[in-house]
Amino acid sequence: MKNPLKNFGIRAQLMIGVLASFLLSLTIIVCLTTLLSRVMRQTGNSFQTNADIDSFLTDIENTKNAMESYMRYRTFESIDKYYHYEAAAESKAERFRQNPSDIEVEQKEYAIRMLSKSFFDLSGKAIAARRANNSYDSDLYYYKTLDCYSFLHDEIINLNMLFFNMNASSYTQSKAKAEAIISKSILALIIIFVCSALLIYINIAGITKPLSDISNVALKVAGRDFDVPLFKSQDKNEIGNICRAFDSMIISIREYIGAIWEKALKENELREKEIEMRALYTDARLKALQDQIQPHFLFNTLNTGAQLAMIEGADKTCYFLEQVADFLRYNIQHPGSDATIGEELGMLDNYIYIMKTRFGERYQFEKDIDQSALEVKIPNTILQPLVENCIKHGLKDITENGRIKIAVRRTGAGIAIEISDNGKGFDQETKRKILNHAAAGSEGVLISDKGHVSSGLINVISRLQIYFKDNKVFDILQRQGGGATFRIQIKDGDNV
């Protein structure tokens, strides 16, 4: 078979053959991939409308449930949920059609938009009447809201079914297109393989034939006879082609070295990215641990405030609720961040006031604070869980004369923070399990032979170890005469 590339060098013939095969394969693969990707996107988006409608229906249901909860119990939590879900549902309702239409789907969207508007208006009036203690209006608008919700719920379900039927048809068509493209892709790959094999065969046949005429030169080169002026030849004959092949070989060696060097750079870049990902994971884990705050304390304090409102004057109740608000505001304004020791102690004062209000003189709190250490940075919401642990576990069985001491002082090694109680303390086995549990990065509740330890204590230890990068930053000490001491040792150079 005649080689159409006989006037090109050996390297050029090989490169042209490989490049032609590559471009042919790449062109067909890109076209098929583009078509298949387009079909897959259509298939993946087929039921997006159903998902959006389901999300809207969920917000409507949550709004209704929050309204019913407020109408029944009249709690701050329920009114907060109502406004949250009502805003989310109202935002999604704006996406529906604004004007009537002869098309069934668009007409239902318009009906849903109007019913949603009525639902929000009626529920808002019911909430306002309930807040104003207007029983007649609150009942009137409440039942109107439920009737409107019933109609709205049915219309949303009907619209969802219409979209589902339309999307199912679209999905079937997209699936058929995808199967056709896959079948054509297999056939195209077979054709590419045959054409590439034929092209390579033509190139090899055209290269191997002239090599038989220059075997003597090859033998000299094999015998390390480099006196032949091969690299100076300008002839376009077999010897000239061999000389250019040696030049190409040298270039190929340099390219190979460059490829190795590039590979080494890429490997180094991958290692740096791996280190960065580990740092991001550590930071994410720290923030995730910082976001774990058990809500039962909040409910207990709010219940105490409600009891005070019933049996005491308004001034004391007002001050108590202000302390609770400051406590909540601190946690909201410091999500996943650090704070100074002074800020932590300020928040702890709010918590201590709440506890004194709740338990009376059952517990006594003492503080010994070095004012020069107040600006030192620590993770936020660290001290309050430790004091709460003393109350819930250490002083659990003590009904009077319970003592908790908070001390902050400078030492030769840096700053020490100690929180002590005169309760039952920790046995060595429980202490070991707690510290090991935190060092291993485990979460949840640790069960011990003497009961269970809340995840709050393990949360605090883990966050301190991650923040200061020191597994010995926290320790649990047994006090003489009973009780335990939580000790945080911040070394010089660690934000001191």
Side-chain angles (χ1 to χ4, degrees):
M1 182 179 295
K2 186 177 180 181
N3 186 359
L5 304 176
K6 65 178 181 178
N7 293 327
F8 292 91
I10 294 175
R11 184 171 180 270
Q13 293 180 41
L14 290 172
M15 292 299 295
I16 290 174
V18 173
L19 185 61
S21 299
F22 173 76
L23 291 177
L24 179 62
S25 303
L26 182 62
T27 301
I28 295 178
I29 290 174
V30 168
C31 293
L32 294 176
T33 302
T34 302
L35 291 174
L36 187 59
S37 176
R38 187 177 303 168
V39 172
M40 293 303 294
R41 281 198 302 271
Q42 293 176 355
T43 302
N45 294 332
S46 294
F47 295 97
Q48 184 60 42
T49 52
N50 292 107
D52 294 340
I53 292 176
D54 286 339
S55 177
F56 175 66
L57 179 58
T58 300
D59 288 338
I60 290 292
E61 291 175 347
N62 289 334
T63 303
K64 190 263 292 185
N65 293 335
M67 180 203 71
E68 290 180 331
S69 177
Y70 183 77
M71 298 297 289
R72 184 175 303 173
Y73 302 111
R74 197 177 180 185
T75 63
F76 291 109
E77 180 185 11
S78 58
I79 191 64
D80 183 65
K81 287 185 178 180
Y82 167 79
Y83 286 123
H84 171 77
Y85 291 122
E86 189 267 344
E90 190 171 8
S91 175
K92 294 176 182 177
E94 295 295 328
R95 304 174 188 173
F96 292 105
R97 184 175 179 84
Q98 301 182 13
N99 303 311
S101 174
D102 295 332
I103 301 175
E104 183 180 9
V105 172
E106 294 180 352
Q107 180 61 27
K108 284 200 175 291
E109 286 189 355
Y110 173 73
I112 289 174
R113 184 186 179 97
M114 294 298 101
L115 286 171
S116 299
K117 185 177 180 181
S118 298
F119 173 76
F120 298 141
D121 182 59
L122 292 171
S123 63
K125 290 180 178 179
I127 291 292
R130 183 73 175 99
R131 297 180 72 176
N133 292 324
N134 189 337
S135 301
Y136 175 79
D137 286 348
S138 65
D139 291 340
L140 175 64
Y141 289 119
Y142 172 70
Y143 290 113
K144 284 186 177 182
T145 302
L146 293 182
D147 291 339
C148 182
Y149 168 77
S150 178
F151 291 122
L152 177 59
H153 183 274
D154 293 341
E155 288 297 323
I156 294 174
I157 294 298
N158 292 334
L159 179 62
N160 199 11
M161 288 303 300
L162 286 175
F163 275 121
F164 181 81
N165 293 332
M166 294 170 58
N167 292 333
S169 176
S170 175
Y171 174 78
T172 302
Q173 295 176 1
S174 298
K175 182 179 179 182
K177 289 181 182 179
E179 292 175 349
I181 291 175
I182 291 174
S183 300
K184 292 179 181 179
S185 299
I186 295 174
L187 179 61
L189 290 175
I190 294 174
I191 295 174
I192 291 172
F193 176 77
V194 173
C195 293
S196 298
L198 181 61
L199 185 59
I200 292 173
Y201 172 77
I202 293 174
N203 281 334
I204 292 176
I207 291 171
T208 54
K209 186 177 180 298
L211 289 178
S212 61
D213 299 329
I214 55 171
S215 59
N216 291 332
V217 175
L219 289 174
K220 288 183 180 181
V221 173
R224 299 184 180 181
D225 184 1
F226 300 106
D227 293 334
V228 178
L230 298 176
F231 297 103
K232 295 181 182 181
S233 176
Q234 300 298 322
D235 298 332
K236 295 184 179 180
N237 52 23
E238 290 78 8
I239 297 177
N241 291 336
I242 292 296
C243 292
R244 284 185 287 275
F246 277 108
D247 293 337
S248 299
M249 180 180 64
I250 295 173
I251 295 174
S252 297
I253 292 173
R254 292 175 180 174
E255 291 178 349
Y256 180 72
I257 295 173
I260 294 176
W261 177 251
E262 183 178 356
K263 182 179 179 181
L265 292 177
K266 288 182 177 179
E267 290 177 350
N268 185 59
E269 182 180 354
L270 288 174
R271 283 194 294 268
E272 292 177 354
K273 288 183 177 180
E274 181 181 359
I275 294 172
E276 182 180 358
M277 290 299 294
R278 289 178 179 176
L280 291 174
Y281 168 78
T282 301
D283 184 64
R285 177 166 168 259
L286 173 61
K287 292 181 178 178
L289 289 169
Q290 290 175 330
D291 289 337
Q292 298 177 3
I293 300 178
Q294 298 181 357
H296 66 274
F297 164 72
L298 303 180
F299 293 115
N300 290 337
T301 54
L302 291 177
N303 289 334
T304 305
Q307 293 170 7
L308 286 174
M310 294 174 62
I311 64 176
E312 294 186 332
D315 291 341
K316 188 173 183 179
T317 302
C318 179
Y319 183 75
F320 172 80
L321 293 178
E322 286 177 351
Q323 297 301 301
V324 175
D326 290 341
F327 180 83
L328 295 175
R329 188 179 299 109
Y330 179 86
N331 285 282
I332 293 173
Q333 292 176 350
H334 295 79
S337 63
D338 52 13
T340 64
I341 293 178
E343 291 172 339
E344 281 289 279
L345 290 173
M347 190 271 286
L348 191 57
D349 287 339
N350 294 334
Y351 176 79
I352 290 173
Y353 173 80
I354 294 169
M355 291 298 98
K356 285 185 175 180
T357 303
R358 181 181 175 189
F359 295 105
E361 299 300 322
R362 181 176 174 181
Y363 306 117
Q364 300 298 321
F365 297 87
E366 302 175 13
K367 292 202 306 182
D368 180 10
I369 308 300
D370 186 342
Q371 299 297 316
S372 66
L374 295 183
E375 297 302 318
V376 175
K377 293 285 187 177
I378 59 175
N380 74 302
T381 320
I382 287 294
L383 303 184
Q384 180 268 327
L386 297 179
V387 175
E388 182 179 6
N389 189 275
C390 291
I391 294 174
K392 290 178 59 178
H393 301 290
L395 303 175
K396 175 181 177 183
D397 300 324
I398 294 179
T399 58
E400 61 181 2
N401 296 326
R403 294 192 304 276
I404 298 175
K405 181 176 181 180
I406 301 98
V408 179
R409 64 179 184 276
R410 289 190 176 273
T411 66
I415 292 178
I417 303 174
E418 294 183 350
I419 296 178
S420 307
D421 63 53
N422 62 338
K424 64 181 181 180
F426 288 87
D427 60 271
Q428 291 299 317
E429 181 62 18
T430 301
K431 170 186 172 181
R432 184 187 63 80
K433 288 182 178 180
I434 291 172
L435 296 179
N436 291 343
H437 208 62
S442 303
E443 301 176 9
V445 175
L446 171 65
I447 305 298
S448 70
D449 295 336
K450 297 186 178 296
H452 75 279
V453 178
S454 165
S455 61
L457 179 56
I458 297 175
N459 182 313
V460 167
I461 300 173
S462 297
R463 290 167 55 202
L464 285 168
Q465 291 174 348
I466 293 173
Y467 186 87
F468 292 108
K469 301 180 178 60
D470 183 4
N471 287 341
K472 296 182 179 180
V473 68
F474 186 92
D475 199 4
I476 302 173
L477 307 176
Q478 193 72 18
R479 297 179 67 239
Q480 293 182 355
T485 297
F486 298 129
R487 179 183 176 87
I488 302 171
Q489 179 63 57
I490 304 175
K491 298 179 181 178
D492 287 331
D494 292 342
N495 295 337
V496 178

